[in-house]
Every structure is written in structure tokens, then in C-alpha cells.
């Protein structure tokens, strides 16, 4: 997966996240369990995409192979301190 594809995926995920949050605000009751689970999954997927993009860029700056970078598992990415 190249940087352009990753950025495109990030954009798709963000668009879906915004739609879900907008729908929740319009239905003042909030989100149902299914929507909350989907939002959690979107957030995790976004974290994975951003992590992969950062590591690809770091590899490129260090004259490494960005294509050697792979997606890390959700539990590993979610444990990062920001």
C-alpha cells in the first residue's frame, strides 16, 4: 500500500466517522450500540493508517524501504502514548 492509498483510506474513514457522529447529533438520543461499535472500529482503523503512514515516511527519511513497513495490530497501535 503506497502513501496515496493510505491517505485515501484515511479520508474515507474520516468521512464515515463524521457521518456517524452527525447522525448521532441529529438524533439527540445519541448512538446505538452498533453505531458505537462502528465508531470504535473506525477510530482504531484510523490509528493504524496514521501509524503506517508515519512509519513509511520515517523509513523514507532514513533512506529505508517504506514498502517494508506493514500495518501493526490494533492492540499494539492502541497502546501508544501520545
Amino acid at each position: 500500500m503506497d502513501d496515496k492509498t493510505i491517505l485515501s483510506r484515511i479520508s474515507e474513514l474520516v468521512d464515515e466517522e463524521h457521518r456517524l457522529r452527525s447522525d448521532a447529533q441529529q438524533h439527540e438520543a445519541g448512538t446505538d450500540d452498533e453505531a458505537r461499535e462502528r465508531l470504535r472500529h473506525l477510530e482504531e482503523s484510523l490509528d493504524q493508517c496514521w501509524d503506517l503512514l508515519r512509519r513509511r515516511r520515517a523509513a523514507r527519511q532514513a533512506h529505508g524501504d517504506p514498502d517494508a513497513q506493514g500495518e501493526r495490530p490494533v492492540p499494539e497501535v492502541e497502546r501508544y502514548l501520545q
Side-chain angles (χ1 to χ4, degrees):
M1 189 179 323
D2 64 4
D3 291 3
K4 185 177 178 179
T5 304
I6 296 168
L7 287 167
S8 177
R9 180 70 179 138
I10 288 171
S11 180
E12 292 170 5
L13 292 168
V14 167
D15 288 346
E16 184 177 352
E17 180 183 28
H18 287 171
R19 277 192 304 276
L20 284 172
R21 292 190 189 282
S22 176
D23 288 348
Q25 286 178 346
Q26 289 176 5
H27 298 94
E28 296 176 22
T31 55
D32 60 15
D33 290 340
E34 185 177 318
R36 275 194 291 277
E37 180 63 23
R38 181 63 186 148
L39 280 169
R40 186 184 63 74
H41 183 267
L42 287 169
E43 291 167 354
E44 291 171 345
S45 295
L46 278 165
D47 289 345
Q48 283 181 300
C49 287
W50 282 116
D51 172 68
L52 178 57
L53 187 62
R54 282 191 294 270
R55 289 185 301 106
R56 287 179 55 82
R57 289 176 174 170
R60 195 174 292 112
Q61 284 183 330
H63 304 291
D65 180 10
D67 293 328
Q69 303 302 314
E71 191 175 86
R72 294 183 195 195
V74 169
E76 185 175 340
V77 173
E78 291 301 307
R79 284 194 308 259
Y80 292 158
L81 297 176
Q82 305 222 358

